Amino acid sequence: MRRRPVCILCMLLVVFLCVTDWLGFSLIRGNPLPQSVQTWIRKHPESTICGEVVRCRENEDFQSVYLRNTYLIYNSEKVSIDNIKVYLKQKKNHSGNSDVDKLLAGSLVLVSGKLEEVQSPTNPGEFDSKAYYGCQRIYYVMKKGKIKKQSQSHSAYGQFLIDVQQKFAGILEKTCGMEAGAFEAIVLGDKTNLDPELKMRYQMAGIIHILAISGLHISLLGMGLYNLLKKIGLGIWPAGLLALVIMLQYGMMTGGTVSTMRAVCMFLLSVGAKIAGRIYDMPTGMAAAAILILMENPAYLLDGGFLLSFGSVIGIGCVWPLVQEGMDVLNRKKRSEVNEKGKIRDKLLMSFLASGVVQLTTLPIVLWFYGEVSVMGIFLNLLVLPTVGIVLGSGTAGALLGLVTVRGAFLAVVPGRIILRGYEFLTVLLGRLSFCTWIGGKPEVWQIVGYYLVLAAAVWIYRAGVMKSENGKIFAWKIRAVYAGMVCFAILLISYRPHENFRIACLDVGQGDGIVVEIENRWNILIDGGSTNKNELGKYQLLPYLKSRGISRLDGIYVSHTDEDHISGVRELLEFVEKDLTSLRIENLILPKWSDIQENKNYRELTELAESAGVRVLTVKAGDEIRYGTVRLKVLWPESTASGKEVNEDAMVLEMISKDFKGLFTGDIGMVTEEKLIQNGCLEDVDFLKTAHHGSRYSTGAEFLEIVRPELAVVSCSATNTYGHPSPDTLERLKKSGSRVLITRDCGAVTIVNGKSVSAFNRIK
């Protein structure tokens, strides 16, 4: 390390940034704009901004435009607000084309619209948009944007790169058929046309990294180009400089993601070392790239792409050489005696171990951001990594040939298409295996620190033991056993979860309901899961939360009734299970027992989908009871004669009873059903109430509250709902009953642990 001052400088920079973040400075996260500007924007969201166009993206309904060097115009002053993402209204004219003029890169535009601060996640495990856009210095987005003025001047070269990328994308779409989306992601870094299901399959199989422009792509293309230029007669200097220039432009054309920037920086240093006749040191190159990226924007320090990219390089460039050195010493005598088949076997073993080392090095990072890690990825990458170069080369050749001859492009992409179809076949096959991925949950910081300390000690002990051994063959099994034991201990440490009697999480699903209950670290149930204002709720809220908690099995999904705001996410989860797009297992779907379901389309479709996914369907009525260990779920409603025509009033009502805790889940029932429950005498004083019908004025009546008297009442609703939920009348009734009221639209997900600890994911503003 003393011979690597750049590495030490990088470590000092990381420590400095962590300390400043701990002290509350907004270098890494948060909004760095002056408080006066932030306050003004909150008070005047309808604003006018001016900025330079970076790039544009179009879909059917709107056009998104990224602006840089943007300033806000107010009080005749110009205030810099860094970069902005603008959503322009895109109306179609009579010919079907957009009425918004093409915005060229580098042109200046004056735009008016509604500014909104990029929101933080409101549920555990949810994608952090604020951190993602913070890496791009985007702290606000503009909705319903309208261009008022546009300059004629623009960046000819910047637009040229965009046009080239779009031209190549068009060629790939014409020549690659169903594999076009994958080719565009691998060759051009554009995932716009990538099939979402294919992306989920790649994620499960542990090969999602090939869809991002990374060191693998840059090294394959860059070194291939460098060697080609040398073979055609160019010397080291001309070939190196030309390769550097081309790869730098390629990095800019493909979007300049953090993994691309890291790979390009390291490639520049690698080729620069060859040109200068110096030895390239991977740790130093990695540290230099990290310093450049963090100096440009410290927010990258908490970015998943940054951490995974550099974590992989540390694994293959720093950890693996130490392990490999020990392996070489232990197997030196053995290798001199093996035949050719044995050498091939050893190479496969070393490749497998190298893949495993990278997986172990990045395990905490993957679990932190995704809550799951692919087990089969260690094996599949042995096949993918040697062949992805063919896909990349095939796609690149096809894109270039397409400029001259489309027929030639068709032929060039054939090898890549065959391999991509092979990848898809393998991902489908592996997706059917219950152990394809391990859902380990999001670890705590102390677990991550402990994991890396144990792993570092294991590597050090392994290497030290090997170096001190005079006869590696005698002590090989002991050293390996100690190393394997420490690795297993590290994995157990990072997957440890403290025992809890139960945990109730009322997720922020917008206008809908979604409640996850964990019981005794063994049973897990979902009570409703739907929303009318959040698309793909199952993919972006429910499934990420389950993964973050390490939940790989739902023992039951309880659907109170079949309105869309209670089942849209449940439907998604069942579809994922049916298509083998998740390792989550669902044992039972529990529906209210209704006598008339012929006209209830949602009820019938949900039942059929569950059966198709291999999920058992059960129905319950008042008087039924389900036990999970020491916890009981009593069904208070619907009554046995319920028809289901009035889905809200015939909704399932559950009472959860633990040792010193009682909770009531009321679906969307109104005061009519509340009165019937009172008459039946089945209500009692509870500690927790899931407020019925999102806080509607026609639910949670005074007489009902006089009996249940909850200490905590949670209202699940959206800030943009048009129903006036929650009603001020309902909130007043809850207040008079002595209840503490938490509303998911204000505080995000609400979690109750063991009936004693109550926490909100976001602070109430």
Side-chain angles (χ1 to χ4, degrees), residues 484-511:
M486 295 186 72
V487 169
C488 291
F489 174 75
I491 295 174
L492 289 174
L493 177 65
I494 206 167
S495 60
Y496 168 76
R497 295 292 177 270
H499 178 77
E500 295 172 348
N501 290 330
F502 66 86
R503 172 186 290 254
I504 301 172
C506 302
L507 303 181
D508 176 21
V509 295
Q511 192 62 20

Side-chain angles (χ1 to χ4, degrees), residues 146-314:
K146 185 176 181 181
I147 297 177
K148 302 178 73 173
K149 290 183 180 180
Q150 178 181 353
S151 69
Q152 295 298 318
S153 61
H154 66 280
S155 171
Y157 185 67
Q159 187 59 40
F160 168 74
L161 289 179
I162 293 175
D163 291 340
V164 168
Q165 185 191 39
Q166 292 177 347
K167 179 67 175 179
F168 285 155
I171 293 171
L172 293 175
E173 287 176 15
K174 290 180 181 178
T175 58
C176 298
M178 296 176 61
E179 291 74 39
F183 268 115
E184 289 178 47
I186 293 173
V187 178
L188 303 174
D190 184 4
K191 300 184 181 67
T192 306
N193 297 323
L194 185 65
D195 182 6
E197 288 190 8
L198 181 65
K199 185 177 179 181
M200 293 181 73
R201 294 192 188 282
Y202 274 44
Q203 177 73 43
M204 284 188 65
I207 59 172
I208 189 71
H209 58 87
I210 69 171
L211 298 177
I213 304 298
S214 62
L216 178 64
H217 299 68
I218 298 299
S219 60
L220 287 172
L221 290 177
M223 295 309 298
L225 177 63
Y226 174 70
N227 292 327
L228 177 63
L229 292 173
K230 284 175 56 179
K231 286 183 179 180
I232 63 176
L234 295 181
I236 294 178
W237 275 82
L241 289 175
L242 186 56
L244 287 177
V245 171
I246 293 176
M247 294 314 298
L248 186 60
Q249 308 315 305
Y250 175 73
M252 294 171 59
M253 183 188 72
T254 54
T257 62
V258 64
S259 59
T260 306
M261 289 190 292
R262 191 272 305 164
V264 169
C265 286
M266 294 184 69
F267 176 77
L268 295 178
L269 293 172
S270 174
V271 176
K274 291 180 182 293
I275 294 174
R278 304 289 296 272
I279 297 175
Y280 173 68
D281 180 61
M282 181 179 286
T284 299
M286 176 193 64
I291 291 173
L292 291 173
I293 292 172
L294 292 175
M295 291 295 289
E296 192 274 331
N297 190 350
Y300 278 117
L301 188 59
L302 298 181
D303 178 66
F306 176 90
L307 295 173
L308 283 173
S309 182
F310 281 93
S312 299
V313 175
I314 291 173

Side-chain angles (χ1 to χ4, degrees), residues 598-627:
Q598 296 305 314
E599 295 183 5
N600 191 319
K601 182 181 177 182
N602 285 348
Y603 195 110
R604 288 186 285 103
E605 288 183 349
L606 209 58
T607 301
E608 292 169 1
L609 181 57
E611 292 173 347
S612 177
V615 177
R616 184 171 59 171
V617 179
L618 304 173
T619 59
V620 294
K621 63 183 184 308
D624 292 337
E625 183 173 295
I626 303 98
R627 284 182 175 270

Side-chain angles (χ1 to χ4, degrees), residues 401-421:
L401 280 173
L403 298 173
V404 180
T405 167
V406 175
R407 181 173 297 180
F410 267 111
L411 295 175
V413 298
V414 168
R417 293 186 66 181
I418 294 173
I419 293 175
L420 285 175
R421 289 194 179 185

